[in-house]
């Protein structure tokens, strides 16, 4: 199924920025121009521009227009690292248990996250990453089949989804939402925790040059995981 119109508009803008056709501080087409170009509603064009503004790719000046954003002066608060490398860097043993690897139909939440239509086919995986044999993270991931067509053919006991996706669809952008949650019965079993132990949940969307690649839910037991960050001025 084809990408939603707003996702096509975002990709149109991103591709021209990445190739250098549109430079920093250069004005991008207006909502009206994008509406005509893509034969879509103004609301759809506005959504595409707004998402790119929210992610820092574009900057909007009221009454003037929307422009390609300048280079960021600060590093990301959440660096994206491969969990297998993190565990091995601590000198501990890493192992993984794949629980699911299949194709499903996108729910409204997943479709919006990936820029697809509701009901579109998406690839779905669930893995439990372990440190010293103990569960450290449940990774639930939804992947855009159009951008990563061979995802379901991979053996994720040999490489993590992060490693594979980094190789076939290199990361250009990521957005995170972090919150504390209480685990349901399924998560309690997967993480080998009790019903009273809080967890840390990270929702992560990642982009490549072609568009949104994946939407992941990463859940860690609170007693075994600490989130740290560094803010660096460049």
């Amino acid at each position: 199924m084809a990408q939603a119109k707003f996702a096509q508009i975002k990709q149109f803008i991103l591709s021209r920025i990445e190739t250098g056709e549109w430079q920093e501080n250069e004005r991008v087409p207006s909502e009206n121009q994008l509406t005509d170009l893509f034969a879509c509603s103004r609301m759809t064009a506005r959504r595409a521009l707004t998402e790119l503004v929210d992610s820092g790719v574009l900057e909007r000046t009221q009454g003037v227009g929307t422009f390609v954003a300048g280079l960021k002066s600060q590093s990301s608060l959440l660096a994206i690292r491969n969990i297998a490398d993190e565990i091995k860097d601590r000198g501990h043993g890493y192992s993984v248990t794949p629980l699911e690897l299949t194709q499903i139909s996108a729910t409204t939440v997943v479709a919006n996250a990936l820029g697809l239509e509701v009901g579109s086919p998406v690839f779905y995986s669930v893995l439990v990453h372990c440190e010293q044999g103990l569960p450290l993270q449940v990774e639930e991931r939804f992947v855009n089949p159009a951008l990563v067509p061979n995802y379901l053919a991979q053996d994720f006991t040999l490489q993590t989804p992060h490693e594979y996706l980094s190789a076939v669809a290199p990361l250009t952008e990521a957005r995170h939402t972090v919150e504390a949650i209480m685990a349901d019965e399924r998560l309690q079993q997967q993480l080998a925790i009790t019903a009273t132990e809080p967890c840390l949940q990270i929702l992560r969307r990642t982009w490549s040059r072609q568009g949104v690649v994946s939407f992941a839910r990463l859940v860690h037991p609170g007693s075994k995981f600490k989130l740290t960050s560094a803010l660096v001025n460049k």
Side-chain angles (χ1 to χ4, degrees):
M1 187 175 292
Q3 282 185 313
K5 279 290 179 69
F6 82 90
Q8 294 176 27
I9 296 172
K10 288 178 65 176
Q11 178 53 38
F12 169 78
I13 294 171
L14 285 169
S15 65
R16 277 151 182 78
I17 294 173
E18 289 160 0
T19 60
E21 181 178 341
W22 293 350
Q23 298 293 317
E24 291 179 40
N25 304 315
E26 184 173 342
R27 177 182 280 179
V28 303
S30 67
E31 291 177 8
N32 287 336
Q33 290 171 320
L34 291 170
T35 295
D36 293 339
L37 184 59
F38 285 88
C40 65
S41 68
R42 187 169 179 178
M43 183 179 298
T44 297
R46 183 182 300 121
R47 176 181 177 183
L49 290 174
T50 297
E51 289 197 4
L52 290 175
V53 169
D54 290 344
S55 62
V57 174
L58 301 178
E59 294 177 341
R60 180 177 288 145
T61 302
Q62 187 67 33
V64 179
T66 306
F67 303 82
V68 179
L71 294 174
K72 296 292 186 297
S73 61
Q74 297 177 329
S75 66
S76 171
L77 287 175
L78 281 176
I80 297 180
R81 293 197 62 202
N82 181 32
I83 189 169
D85 293 336
E86 289 186 7
I87 292 172
K88 292 173 184 176
D89 286 348
R90 292 193 284 268
H92 291 171
Y94 167 77
S95 59
V96 62
T97 301
L99 300 180
E100 293 193 53
L101 186 60
T102 188
Q103 178 177 295
I104 64 172
S105 297
T107 63
T108 299
V109 171
V110 172
N112 288 339
L114 294 177
L116 301 173
E117 300 289 350
V118 175
S120 298
V122 296
F123 295 153
Y124 176 67
S125 61
V126 181
L127 294 86
V128 179
H129 301 281
C130 299
E131 181 172 9
Q132 300 292 80
L134 299 176
L136 181 67
Q137 180 192 92
V138 172
E139 173 191 331
E140 183 180 25
R141 189 179 295 269
F142 305 88
V143 176
N144 188 337
L147 303 186
V148 194
N150 296 319
Y151 185 79
L152 296 183
Q154 305 311 304
D155 183 350
F156 290 123
T157 64
L158 302 179
Q159 62 177 338
T160 65
H162 173 81
E163 288 177 297
Y164 175 67
L165 293 175
S166 295
V168 301
L171 176 73
T172 60
E173 178 188 343
R175 298 184 68 182
H176 302 85
T177 301
V178 182
E179 64 178 325
I181 65 167
M182 298 303 296
D184 58 21
E185 290 187 8
R186 185 185 66 161
L187 274 174
Q188 291 168 32
Q189 294 176 356
Q190 293 169 342
L191 290 171
I193 59 175
T194 65
T196 59
E197 179 165 356
C199 296
L200 185 68
Q201 173 181 274
I202 301 174
L203 300 181
R204 174 183 293 162
R205 296 171 70 198
T206 57
W207 283 256
S208 73
R209 291 183 178 181
Q210 287 70 45
V212 184
V213 174
S214 74
F215 172 52
R217 178 188 186 219
L218 313 174
V219 182
H220 310 79
S223 62
K224 301 174 186 174
F225 186 80
K226 179 171 63 176
L227 181 65
T228 60
S229 66
L231 183 63
V232 181
N233 287 326
K234 296 182 179 179

